Amino acid sequence: MDRSQKAESVAQLNAVFNEVGVVVVTRNLGLTVAQSTVLRGKIREAGATYKVAKNRLAKLAAQDTDYAGIGDLLTGPTALAWSVDPVAAAKAVVEFAKTTDKIEIVGGSLGSVVLDADGVKALASMPSLDELRAKLIGLVQAPATKLAQLTTAPAAKLARVFQAYADKDAA
């Protein structure tokens, strides 16, 4: 990799660090090509990205961003997973790490907050952004549904009272 390629790689990673919500640092402990392909597929499905980057270049790219704290985590054979959704990348990596011992979660960063491995696992247990949106919509719709039921209930009760009087008079 020559100097211009390194500069381009640093610029790309810097742009990524300025846009994403979470960065997870993993250590590869002998992943096979097949396992790596499966991992990348699962991460892609979650809406995240997984990339093996040179540690020195990743440290340079993270310097003037919120993710400058991950520099200490970048030692040895590491890779980065990131996503705009603060939970997606962490959830995908943690789920994959449960199936194999060839990948280790080193830590990560949620904005300027540096997380250890347990912090990333705790982040992965949280509901995703889409799940939170669905819950919020459900909470907003519930009162409207109840209100509609309450406004139609008196009319239905009134109709049943009139029907009872009509049945009584007919008898």
Side-chain angles (χ1 to χ4, degrees), residues 125-144:
S125 67
M126 294 177 64
S128 70
L129 199 55
D130 290 337
E131 291 170 356
L132 288 174
R133 286 178 180 149
K135 285 182 182 180
L136 183 62
I137 289 172
L139 290 172
V140 169
Q141 284 181 340

Side-chain angles (χ1 to χ4, degrees), residues 9 19 21 33 74 80 86 95 97 116 128 138-139 155 164:
S9 179
E19 295 174 1
V33 173
L74 297 171
L80 303 172
E95 285 178 14
D116 60 354
S128 70
L139 290 172

Side-chain angles (χ1 to χ4, degrees), residues 3 14 16 39 47 62 75 79 100 112 117 121 127 133 142 150-151 163-164:
R3 198 184 256 315
N14 187 278
V16 165
L39 172 60
T75 58
T100 184
S112 60
K121 290 175 184 171
R133 286 178 180 149
L150 289 174
T151 56
Q163 185 63 42

Side-chain angles (χ1 to χ4, degrees), residues 5 14 17 19 22 28 33-34 42 45 59 62 74 76 86 88 90 97 113-114 119-121 137 145 160 166:
Q5 290 173 324
N14 187 278
F17 289 148
E19 295 174 1
V22 68
N28 298 332
V33 173
K42 288 186 179 193
E45 285 174 12
K59 286 178 186 179
L74 297 171
V113 178
V114 178
V120 172
K121 290 175 184 171
I137 289 172
T145 304
R160 284 193 295 270

Side-chain angles (χ1 to χ4, degrees), residues 14 19 34 44 63 66 69 78-79 89 116 123 154 163 170:
N14 187 278
E19 295 174 1
R44 199 174 305 115
Q63 271 182 349
D66 289 341
T78 59
D116 60 354
L123 182 64
Q163 185 63 42

